[in-house]
Amino acid sequence: MQKDILPVLKRYGYKLTPQRRAVISAIAGSSNHVTPAELCERARSEHPKVSLVTVYRTLKILSDLGLICEMHTEGISHSYLLRRPDEHHHHIVCSDCGLVVDFTECDLSGLERQLSSETGFEMEHHLLEFIGRCPGCRR
């Protein structure tokens, strides 16, 4: 996945510093949503001089380019996951511990057409999150 990101950054004129590469490597190597602090810790194992500022700047770039999925959860730090090419997914979030589970089953095309018809909006994409308590927190 990392090999797919680097050419995109180059195409848009972003420098591929060793620190930025370490952050990208850290997020590309994760199969779960990770917080900026977790990314910083992982990136530092590859390049000790990675700062949290570098992590946030890199995440902003990756988000602006649509290369990562950004989770916004109330009371819990944002978390990020590399967006898989051609994968449309949504989230189930535990309101207690912040566990995030991705799911891909989603047929909202009828609702999108209805909302478009009613509001005049031309839909580009959508985000769907379910909030609840995971089995571990319910125990």
Side-chain angles (χ1 to χ4, degrees):
M1 294 300 280
Q2 181 179 352
K3 64 179 174 32
D4 299 328
I5 293 173
L6 300 178
V8 174
L9 292 176
K10 278 185 180 179
R11 186 176 336 122
Y12 285 94
Y14 292 103
K15 292 181 182 177
L16 299 175
T17 65
Q19 294 90 338
R20 186 168 286 159
R21 285 177 184 268
V23 173
I24 292 168
S25 175
I27 197 166
S30 177
S31 58
N32 299 315
H33 288 260
V34 289
T35 66
E38 292 168 333
L39 275 176
C40 191
E41 185 178 318
R42 291 176 187 187
R44 283 181 180 156
S45 69
E46 187 175 316
H47 195 287
K49 293 192 177 192
V50 170
S51 70
L52 198 52
V53 171
T54 299
V55 171
Y56 277 107
R57 286 180 180 156
T58 303
L59 289 172
K60 171 82 170 104
I61 291 166
L62 296 175
S63 180
D64 288 349
L65 294 175
L67 298 171
I68 59 173
C69 174
E70 184 176 10
M71 276 291 308
H72 303 269
T73 52
E74 192 173 319
I76 300 167
S77 178
H78 291 201
S79 63
Y80 303 85
L81 178 69
L82 203 58
R83 195 176 293 278
R84 309 299 191 246
D86 303 323
E87 179 190 78
H88 179 79
H89 77 272
H90 298 292
H91 307 106
I92 302 171
V93 182
C94 179
S95 58
D96 286 352
C97 71
L99 173 69
V100 178
V101 176
D102 295 334
F103 66 96
T104 57
E105 184 64 34
C106 168
D107 183 11
L108 297 176
S109 55
L111 179 59
E112 283 184 1
R113 281 192 301 277
Q114 177 187 343
L115 291 171
S116 181
S117 174
E118 291 174 1
T119 64
F121 274 72
E122 180 179 317
M123 302 303 171
E124 296 173 359
H125 60 86
H126 64 265
L127 304 171
L128 179 62
E129 293 179 5
F130 288 97
I131 311 297
R133 292 179 66 225
C134 71
C137 290
R138 285 196 329 266
R139 281 185 225 133

